[in-house]
Amino acid sequence: MKCVSLEGKAQGGQREMMHTIIFVFTNIQNVFSLCCNCPIPLSAIEEELEIVPECFWYGLCPKAQGAEVLSMSKLAGKVAVVTGASSGMGHAIVERYVKEGAKVIAVARRKERLDELAESLKDAPGKVIPYVGDVSLSEVNDGMIDAAVKEFGRLDILVNNAGIMDDMGPIAEVTDEMYERVFKLNVYGPMCAMRKVVNVFLAQGGGGCIINVVSEGAFHACAGAVYCASKAALVSFTKNTAFMYMPQNIRCNAIAPGGIATEISSSMGVPNM
């Protein structure tokens, strides 16, 4: 695992570090290292991402199976919106957040999956409210943020996790349809959510955390041209947002996994959402 993108800006004669850390997991073993002797201090990751890193990938890591360890409700009182919540990483994120005491709006298209997730966590310290919708649509992104504020009175964390693969094609084989479909979900949707949530954070007086799930493909040619470009675009949104809203203490970070056995990788072109 490596960290990239710590930048700064001059302000008041002093150089302040920009609150952007992009965690790049170069392979599945490095993803597992978060809960299996991670070489990077867990406290540093936790501070930036407002997650419990040793448990974040619980359910994906074979060493963690049957060895769940709960903290002392580190997310108690926090309100989060998580997209792509019906499977894979999104499902695991919601599960961990709720077990840590967070109240979560879980967003995906498949209602039955969301209902099953909510039912499985009904006795957890936190709470899940399913929100059915396609996050490639602006109105769905606005609606899920509004739902969190209406239900819980505020919002603290946004996790843009939903995403779609392309067909692994090079630039000469890119179709307009593929480009529009991938960019609408991987870039336009997160942009809409970030635009909405930043305004909510500002209205609350500042503060807040945005976590964008990008990909190692944003930095290396390990997928198709369209997918890699879409994730690189989301990295740029992440860095710019962190830079622009640093004075308001709004943090914006990205997690860049390598290959993970979720529905996004097992069925090319089918949204992991």
Side-chain angles (χ1 to χ4, degrees):
M1 185 170 77
K2 62 181 179 180
C3 297
V4 299
S5 185
L6 278 178
E7 303 179 6
K9 71 173 184 178
Q11 182 173 322
Q14 297 180 345
R15 186 172 179 82
E16 297 184 5
M17 295 306 293
M18 184 171 78
H19 285 192
T20 303
I21 295 182
I22 301 174
F23 295 100
V24 183
F25 305 111
T26 55
N27 55 46
I28 194 65
Q29 285 75 28
N30 284 343
V31 172
F32 291 161
S33 73
L34 273 180
C35 51
C36 305
N37 301 317
C38 176
I40 294 179
L42 296 174
S43 58
I45 302 174
E46 179 181 298
E47 180 180 353
E48 286 300 322
L49 301 187
E50 288 195 22
I51 61 174
V52 183
E54 64 268 36
C55 302
F56 186 74
W57 300 103
Y58 177 78
L60 299 179
C61 175
K63 293 184 181 181
Q65 299 300 317
E68 182 175 7
V69 178
L70 292 176
S71 72
M72 297 301 292
S73 298
K74 292 184 178 180
L75 294 180
K78 297 290 186 179
V79 177
V81 171
V82 179
T83 69
S86 64
S87 66
M89 291 186 292
H91 186 285
I93 293 167
V94 172
E95 186 176 59
R96 178 51 48 195
Y97 274 27
V98 173
K99 289 181 178 180
E100 292 296 335
K103 302 169 183 176
V104 180
I105 301 293
V107 186
R109 297 184 309 163
R110 294 174 287 191
K111 182 179 184 301
E112 67 283 358
R113 293 268 191 104
L114 293 177
D115 289 342
E116 291 172 2
L117 176 59
E119 177 64 21
S120 71
L121 295 169
K122 64 181 181 180
D123 296 324
K127 182 177 182 180
V128 179
I129 293 183
Y131 189 93
V132 180
D134 179 353
V135 292
S136 68
L137 303 175
S138 176
E139 58 267 29
V140 171
N141 286 279
D142 288 349
M144 68 188 188
I145 302 298
D146 287 337
V149 176
K150 180 179 179 180
E151 183 69 27
F152 302 118
R154 63 174 294 106
L155 181 57
D156 303 290
I157 305 166
L158 168 67
V159 182
N160 282 314
N161 167 74
I164 188 174
M165 282 290 293
D166 59 10
D167 59 359
M168 302 295 287
I171 189 65
E173 299 173 13
V174 171
T175 64
D176 290 350
E177 179 185 12
M178 178 64 70
Y179 176 87
E180 291 170 3
R181 184 159 61 99
V182 173
F183 264 73
K184 192 171 184 181
L185 182 58
N186 289 5
V187 183
Y188 177 72
M191 182 279 294
C192 291
M194 292 168 68
R195 176 176 62 191
K196 178 72 174 181
V197 82
V198 165
N199 280 289
V200 169
F201 290 160
L202 293 174
Q204 292 175 168
C209 181
I210 300 170
I211 303 169
N212 293 322
V213 178
V214 293
S215 168
E216 189 183 7
F219 310 98
H220 307 286
C222 60
V226 175
Y227 179 80
C228 288
S230 72
K231 291 302 184 178
L234 187 52
V235 167
S236 291
F237 268 129
T238 302
K239 295 167 68 175
N240 181 269
T241 301
F243 183 85
M244 292 293 187
Y245 295 99
M246 180 172 53
Q248 291 78 31
N249 197 32
I250 295 173
R251 292 176 293 151
C252 190
N253 300 283
I255 299 173
I260 297 179
T262 69
E263 291 182 15
I264 195 172
S265 59
S266 62
S267 43
M268 295 295 182
V270 177
N272 177 29
M273 56 185 295

